[in-house]
Amino acid sequence: MPAAPLTFLAEDERLFRDSVREFADRDVKPLVREMDEQAKFSRSLLEKLFGLGVMGIEIPESYGGSGGTFFHSVLAVEELSRVDPSVGVLVDVQNTLVINALLRWANDDIKRRYLPKLAASWTGAYALSEAGSGSDAFGLASRAVERDDAYVLSGRKLWITNAAEADLFIVFANINPEAGYRGITAFLVERSFPGFTVGKKEDKLGIRASSTCELLLEDCRVPKSNVLGDVGKGYKVAIETLNEGRIGIGAQMLGAARGALDHAVAYTKERKQFGKAIADFQGVQFQLARAASQVEAAKLLVYNAARLRDAGKPFLTEAAICKLFASEAAEQVTSLAVNLFGGYGFTKDYPVEKLYRDAKIGQIYEGTTNMQLQTIAKALLQ
Ligand SMILES: Cc1cc2nc3c(=O)[nH]c(=O)nc-3n(C[C@H](O)[C@H](O)[C@H](O)COP(=O)(O)OP(=O)(O)OC[C@H]3O[C@@H](n4cnc5c(N)ncnc54)[C@H](O)[C@@H]3O)c2cc1C
């Protein structure tokens, strides 16, 4: 049997995609501007996301999840980001980082304790970065000291997505700094644990409704039963989860680019100058055609990386390429959309200026563009 085209969706994938698309248009779209202006994620929207089943996509049905695939997560992130990349990234972190890490590294006890909660009402966050360690993530300074049946964590995390809403945090800290990255360990920290505080929320250029906060760990006691994976193997949890997570960011950027292109196509068909629609000018048509090519290429790269991952095939380089390409395409396509809206594109009365601001983050988080290039070059030259 010949292999199906990458963009061919199986029946369940198509139905799932359509339901998220309808939800995005019906329930997200009316809130986008207000959430952006107030820099606050709507609580009721968060509840609806759980109701839709997109906050536990890969969680098996036996734990109350949707029993879907990584590819389903990618479809959800893309469709939500087409309307609002802030909503896209909340769902992305929940699924491609937090739940993904638990499914892969948690023992049965942790799965039983946390997966049903994550599927039903708990939002998750993934806390690796610190003020002094971003690209050099393993240079983290947070420490964990063994005390009786617990580890006591101290340090500060920075830039943590979903922190304002989250109930559960995967926190990386080093139990043995002398061992370097081999001391890094992943801990599951509940928001209510004594010594744990969510600190300052960042005031950002884009994805403003997505919370990004500092975390403070002040002698925060974490039971040993909340170590995720093996002690000293947190670097593996971090790196392997992020390898998959960046496909999700590719999907977020693909969604943003698609959203901007859709707006640009609709607007240029309506806006008249020199007595005709601006879409009738070949100069504009060629710009739209180039943007459509970028979107299609980004889609192929993102879908391929996601399908490779679901097939259990190597996908490291493909994930880096898809994130690199989709984030650059998103910046270019959203910028073009602002141009094609003319003066209106520069105002908040139209959605493209927000997508343009939102697209910028794609080249920064889950590994900057230079870090993706480093991964791709390493594979190329080995
Ligand atoms: C909105 C937002 C949300 C985030 N969410 C999370 C989250 O949920 N969890 C989390 O753990 N982190 C999160 N982050 C952190 C994010 O992953 C880091 O900001 C990112 O990895 C870059 O690290 P940095 O900011 O320290 O920049 P730096 O590492 O200081 O990089 C600055 C510049 O130097 C370049 N550079 C650095 N090293 C090299 C090198 N060796 N070669 C070439 N160029 C290099 C980079 O490419 C970049 O252009 C978030 C950040 C933001 C802004």
Side-chain angles (χ1 to χ4, degrees):
M1 201 173 79
L6 275 178
T7 52
F8 175 84
L9 300 185
E11 174 84 352
D12 65 301
E13 293 170 340
R14 192 175 50 74
L15 290 172
F16 177 77
R17 192 265 325 261
D18 291 350
S19 73
V20 181
R21 184 177 287 178
E22 277 164 31
F23 176 88
D25 287 333
R26 187 187 60 235
D27 293 282
V28 180
K29 200 175 267 176
L31 302 173
V32 174
R33 184 163 177 188
E34 188 184 319
M35 292 200 301
D36 181 59
E37 284 175 359
Q38 296 182 354
K40 197 164 175 2
F41 204 95
S42 154
R43 251 299 140 189
S44 65
L45 178 61
L46 185 55
E47 283 164 19
K48 284 184 186 169
L49 289 167
F50 279 100
L52 183 67
V54 294
M55 294 297 275
I57 296 172
E58 276 193 89
I59 295 180
E61 287 172 11
S62 54
Y63 290 111
S66 302
T69 61
F70 187 82
F71 190 75
H72 285 111
S73 298
V74 158
L75 288 174
V77 173
E78 178 191 351
E79 288 306 324
L80 293 167
S81 302
R82 183 181 61 88
V83 174
D84 191 345
S86 287
V87 180
V89 75
L90 180 133
V91 168
D92 176 64
V93 168
Q94 174 86 351
N95 287 285
T96 75
L97 293 183
V98 177
I99 290 169
N100 189 13
L102 260 71
L103 287 174
R104 179 105 177 255
W105 303 96
N107 57 29
D108 287 346
D109 166 53
I110 291 180
K111 284 183 182 166
R112 263 197 306 274
R113 281 191 287 135
Y114 290 117
L115 289 179
K117 290 192 166 102
L118 286 164
S121 61
W122 277 29
T123 302
Y126 187 88
L128 178 64
S129 303
E130 299 180 0
S133 61
S135 299
D136 181 17
F138 294 163
L140 59 84
S142 291
R143 295 286 172 259
V145 177
E146 194 173 355
R147 201 176 294 161
D148 306 324
D149 58 349
Y151 285 95
V152 177
L153 271 56
S154 55
R156 278 166 182 247
K157 295 289 172 184
L158 204 60
W159 314 118
I160 307 310
T161 299
N162 290 357
E165 297 79 19
D167 306 279
L168 186 68
F169 297 76
I170 301 180
V171 175
F172 295 87
N174 200 317
I175 55 146
N176 181 11
E178 280 167 21
Y181 72 89
R182 288 198 174 86
I184 295 174
T185 304
F187 298 91
L188 289 168
V189 179
E190 294 185 23
R191 192 184 192 93
S192 60
F193 282 3
F196 177 81
T197 323
V198 176
K200 177 177 167 270
K201 184 168 151 197
E202 304 297 337
D203 188 5
K204 309 195 298 293
L205 168 74
I207 56 163
R208 291 175 54 77
S210 159
S211 62
T212 311
C213 309
E214 185 184 20
L215 306 182
L216 286 84
L217 300 152
E218 293 160 310
D219 289 337
C220 174
R221 221 180 124 82
V222 181
K224 281 187 177 163
S225 55
N226 272 26
V227 170
L228 179 63
D230 294 334
V231 171
K233 292 278 171 57
Y235 70 93
K236 262 177 95 69
V237 177
I239 223 170
E240 294 190 15
T241 313
L242 284 171
N243 286 342
E244 301 183 342
R246 67 185 49 119
I247 304 173
I249 301 304
Q252 184 203 24
M253 291 295 115
L254 167 61
R258 263 187 56 219
L261 180 60
D262 290 350
H263 289 304
V265 167
Y267 183 80
T268 54
K269 288 205 282 199
E270 274 180 15
R271 171 71 176 171
K272 291 205 169 50
Q273 288 292 281
F274 303 97
K276 53 183 173 178
I278 56 174
D280 289 340
F281 296 112
Q282 194 182 53
V284 170
Q285 289 172 4
F286 282 9
Q287 287 176 300
L288 290 170
R290 195 176 292 283
S293 308
Q294 286 175 294
V295 169
E296 182 67 11
K299 188 175 194 171
L300 294 172
L301 291 169
V302 171
Y303 283 20
N304 185 45
R307 291 209 188 276
L308 283 172
R309 186 276 189 193
D310 274 337
K313 305 284 181 207
F315 62 87
L316 178 67
T317 313
E318 288 81 358
I321 291 175
C322 92
K323 188 202 179 249
L324 171 81
F325 187 90
S327 59
E328 290 183 350
E331 186 179 32
Q332 289 161 17
V333 173
T334 55
S335 172
L336 173 69
V338 172
N339 293 350
L340 290 175
F341 270 72
Y344 299 109
F346 205 62
T347 72
K348 291 190 185 292
D349 293 336
Y350 291 84
V352 286
E353 67 83 30
K354 175 182 178 296
L355 288 170
Y356 178 55
R357 286 187 283 112
D358 289 349
K360 190 67 217 171
I361 190 59
Q363 294 176 63
I364 298 171
Y365 59 15
E366 296 205 27
T368 64
T369 286
N370 276 358
M371 292 301 107
Q372 309 309 323
L373 290 167
Q374 202 178 75
T375 301
I376 299 161
K378 198 170 156 194
L380 197 62
L381 299 171
Q382 73 187 354

